[in-house]
Every structure is written in C-alpha cells, then in structure tokens.
C-alpha cells in the first residue's frame, strides 16, 4: 500500500475542511444577525422559520465538518504511528479500495458501524 498517496489524499481533505469552516461560521453569524436584528417571531412568522432552518442547517454542517476534520487528523496520526490501514477493532488490514473511498476510516468493512 502506498501510504504517501493516502497521506496526500488526507492532507487535501484536511485543507478542504479547514477552508469550509470559516464559511460555515460566517453563515451562522449571518443567520444569528438576521434573527437578532429583526423583530422575527420564529414561531408565527413564515420568514422566521427560514432563518431558524438556515441556522440549524449551518450548525449541523459545522458540526459535521469538525467531526470530519477530527477523523482526518486521527488518520494522519495513524500514518505517523505506523498503524494506518489497520482496523482499530479487529486489527486486520483495511482493504485498499475502502481506504481509497474513505481514507480517514479506522475500520475494516466488517466493523464499519463501530465507534471504538
């Protein structure tokens, strides 16, 4: 397995996620500003529901991006530790095709749903 290929993929993914975080934070700030700078009643104003929805969506995307960044960072740490490509549950080799699809995964296909 070409570890350096996976390091490059992970570093590119890390850069994408880092670039996305400020935009998501700006979306949240913008939605909060719209909510606070107006006389919106989210419960009774149809436009208010849109602001609440946008805020909820941006917050969820920010959480997902932070989680994804943590997964990428953990994969880079496994590369440095020499344990990349080894399932953290069973210790078996993770299939290269799986790593190509999800280079940050710490699990083999059998343990995909695990959270060890």
């Amino acid at each position: 397995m070409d570890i350096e290929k996976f390091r490059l993929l992970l570093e590119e993914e890390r850069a994408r996620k880092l670039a996305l975080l400020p935009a998501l934070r700006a979306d949240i700030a913008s939605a909060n500003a719209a909510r606070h700078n107006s006389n919106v009643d989210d419960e009774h104003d149809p436009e208010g529901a849109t602001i609440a929805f946008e805020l909820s969506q941006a917050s969820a995307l920010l959480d997902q991006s932070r989680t994804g960044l943590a997964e990428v960072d953990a994969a880079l740490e496994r590369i440095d530790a020499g344990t990349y490509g080894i399932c953290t549950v069973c210790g078996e080799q993770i299939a290269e095709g799986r790593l190509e699809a999800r280079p940050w995964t710490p699990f083999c296909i059998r343990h995909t749903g695990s959270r060890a």
Side-chain angles (χ1 to χ4, degrees):
M1 176 175 15
D2 183 0
I3 294 293
E4 289 309 309
K5 171 180 86 172
F6 290 107
R7 182 186 304 274
L8 181 61
L9 287 172
L10 288 163
E11 288 172 351
E12 289 172 353
E13 183 66 20
R14 186 174 196 282
R16 275 192 295 275
K17 289 186 183 307
L18 283 173
L20 182 60
L21 291 176
L24 291 171
R25 286 187 195 108
D27 287 349
I28 290 170
S30 175
N32 276 326
R35 179 184 238 174
H36 292 296
N37 292 334
S38 68
N39 197 11
V40 173
D41 178 358
D42 281 0
E43 197 173 317
H44 299 102
D45 183 350
E47 186 62 26
T50 301
I51 292 171
F53 177 77
E54 288 174 8
L55 184 58
S56 176
Q57 286 291 100
S59 294
L61 289 172
L62 182 62
D63 289 344
Q64 288 175 351
S65 292
R66 286 180 179 153
T67 299
L69 183 59
E71 291 172 340
V72 168
D73 285 342
L76 288 166
E77 289 173 10
R78 288 192 301 278
I79 287 176
D80 291 340
T83 58
Y84 181 78
I86 299 170
C87 179
T88 59
V89 175
C90 67
E92 297 292 321
Q93 191 75 26
I94 300 171
E96 193 165 345
R98 176 158 171 73
L99 290 171
E100 287 172 356
R102 297 182 52 91
W104 51 86
T105 188
F107 306 116
C108 67
I109 194 74
R110 191 174 72 205
H111 295 107
T112 298
S114 299
R115 288 282 167 211

